[in-house]
Amino acid sequence: MGHPYSVPAVYDEPARGILSTLIALTTVCAIARVASRWIQKADSAADDYLSYLAYFLNLANLISGILLIPKHAVSLPGLMLGNPDDLDYITNSFIAIGIFYILTILLSKLSVLFLFRRIFTMHITTFRIAWWANLLFLVPCWTAPVFTLMGLSIARKDLRQSDISKIGTPVVAALNAFSDIMMLLLPVWSISKLRLPKQQKIALVGVFAVAMIATGVSIGRAALLFIRNHVQWNPAYNTYMDIVMTASETSAAFMCSCLPVLKPIIIKVNKLCSRSVSRITGTLQTGRRDPTGSKASRLSLHSDRDTDTWKVNSSQKGIHRVREYDVDVDVIPLQSGMRGHSPS
């Protein structure tokens, strides 16, 4: 991912590689979500629309980061040239990235909240209170401060080096991480009350716990912003980390909003893979030949899948298949003259 003291401090390739990878991963998640809902034959709900909108906003965020690379935003030699047009473009792009960041995080979390609302009943008082607490914390307590910082950034054109930014940005990032933790705890109580085996409860909690990925990224970004106030990074690396960490957090938030609803397509893909493996295995087993090439060995065949037994009838010189699980010798009385012959 680069190093703050690398020489000549050009981070074009790492930034382009990370952003391109995130575009590919988020696009796969978006397509998989659409396919899963189609497999279920389910109508789109509020959480689906919010997630799709979050995808396009995150895509705009990632593309904006890629477009900054030709403008020498993550190259120290290019920044040292001080091209006024490039510097203005970088400033305006960071304002756009900030807006995309806020809206993507907000919509991704709202998508998860409305997914919980769709899955769990709002008639349970405890869950209803916890759901509204999450919503109110997300909208007023996080969205209001972050939009305030964004407004000051637009007014001053560059707020990243101001005292307000050095204090406000890490605080807002910490509030975002705390909101992630609150949302992680939301479905746990409801799942614990379900009448399911313990293993299934753990599996359900694990499905929703994938949001820990986004939470980890949020905590890491908040810690990085606090650390950055006490270290001296070159401007190119500073810009590079802003682009990469912002893109990683928004992409992780979007992907985590999709993962809990991808079970249908995962099952479908698993079945297709199992069938392909079975066909390949069957072809290999059918293609085997006895090295002796004897007639008796070719007629003595065994099938492991249905435990069929193939026998040779000497009088008719043909093959009769007898399913072992279709014949119960303890129930069917065999006459003394019929013993030793295959049942007709």
Side-chain angles (χ1 to χ4, degrees):
M1 288 184 60
H3 192 274
Y5 307 109
S6 63
V7 178
V10 177
Y11 308 98
D12 293 0
E13 292 305 320
R16 189 179 289 109
I18 292 172
L19 295 175
S20 300
T21 302
L22 292 175
I23 289 176
L25 291 175
T26 52
T27 301
V28 169
C29 281
I31 295 173
R33 183 179 187 120
V34 174
S36 295
R37 301 294 283 168
W38 179 78
I39 292 172
Q40 287 182 313
K41 301 184 184 303
D43 295 332
S44 296
D47 56 292
D48 296 311
Y49 294 118
L50 290 167
S51 182
Y52 300 149
L53 186 56
Y55 166 75
F56 288 109
L57 289 169
N58 183 63
L59 182 62
N61 181 27
L62 298 175
I63 293 175
S64 298
I66 291 177
L67 294 177
L68 279 172
I69 297 174
K71 299 297 182 180
H72 309 292
V74 293
S75 172
L76 187 58
L79 288 176
M80 296 301 293
L81 295 176
N83 188 328
D85 294 336
D86 288 347
L87 295 177
D88 288 341
Y89 183 88
I90 292 171
T91 300
N92 294 329
S93 294
F94 264 103
I95 293 174
I97 289 174
I99 295 174
F100 293 144
Y101 166 80
I102 297 170
L103 294 177
T104 302
I105 294 292
L106 178 62
L107 292 175
S108 296
K109 291 188 176 184
L110 287 176
S111 176
V112 174
L113 282 177
F114 279 92
L115 174 65
F116 291 161
R117 184 187 180 98
R118 180 161 58 87
I119 295 175
F120 304 106
T121 176
M122 291 291 286
H123 297 292
I124 300 176
T125 304
T126 306
F127 178 81
R128 184 171 66 252
I129 294 173
W131 191 89
W132 280 105
N134 272 270
L135 181 64
L136 293 175
F137 183 86
L138 176 63
V139 178
C141 298
W142 180 76
T143 308
V146 76
F147 268 116
T148 301
L149 281 175
M150 180 54 58
L152 293 174
S153 178
I154 295 174
R156 297 191 179 187
K157 292 294 184 180
D158 186 10
L159 194 65
R160 288 189 298 162
Q161 302 301 324
S162 67
D163 293 336
I164 296 176
S165 178
K166 290 181 179 180
I167 298 174
T169 303
V171 170
V172 168
L175 290 174
N176 183 33
F178 183 72
S179 174
D180 290 343
I181 296 173
M182 288 180 62
M183 292 183 65
L184 277 175
L185 298 176
L186 182 58
V188 174
W189 186 88
S190 297
I191 292 175
S192 65
K193 296 300 180 181
L194 295 176
R195 295 181 179 179
L196 293 174
K198 185 177 181 180
Q199 292 182 348
Q200 293 187 16
K201 289 184 179 181
I202 294 174
L204 284 174
V205 172
V207 169
F208 295 109
V210 294
M212 290 181 64
I213 300 172
T215 304
V217 176
S218 298
I219 294 173
R221 183 171 179 268
L224 185 66
L225 291 172
F226 277 108
I227 293 172
R228 190 173 64 178
N229 293 333
H230 304 284
V231 296
Q232 294 294 327
W233 289 341
N234 67 72
Y237 187 79
N238 198 14
T239 304
Y240 164 74
M241 290 303 295
D242 281 341
I243 295 173
V244 169
M245 293 302 295
T246 299
S248 299
E249 185 175 359
T250 56
S251 298
F254 166 73
M255 288 188 287
C256 287
S257 71
C258 293
L259 290 177
V261 299
L262 299 187
K263 182 180 178 180
I265 194 170
I266 293 174
I267 294 175
K268 191 75 171 179
V269 172
N270 187 37
K271 287 183 179 179
L272 292 175
C273 293
S274 299
R275 290 175 184 174
S276 300
V277 172
S278 299
R279 289 175 182 174
I280 294 172
T281 305
T283 302
L284 293 175
Q285 290 179 350
T286 305
R288 291 175 183 172
R289 294 292 183 269
D290 186 77
T292 61
S294 63
K295 184 177 180 180
S297 64
R298 290 197 301 271
L299 293 174
S300 180
L301 304 175
H302 299 278
S303 175
D304 294 334
R305 185 169 61 181
D306 53 8
T307 63
D308 292 348
T309 301
W310 298 81
K311 295 185 178 180
V312 179
N313 189 314
S314 58
S315 61
Q316 299 179 1
K317 295 183 179 180
I319 299 176
H320 293 270
R321 188 172 72 172
V322 180
R323 292 183 180 271
E324 293 178 349
Y325 47 75
D326 288 342
V327 179
D328 191 345
V329 296
D330 295 328
V331 175
I332 300 176
L334 298 179
Q335 298 178 4
S336 58
M338 297 178 60
R339 296 186 183 274
H341 295 277
S342 302
S344 56

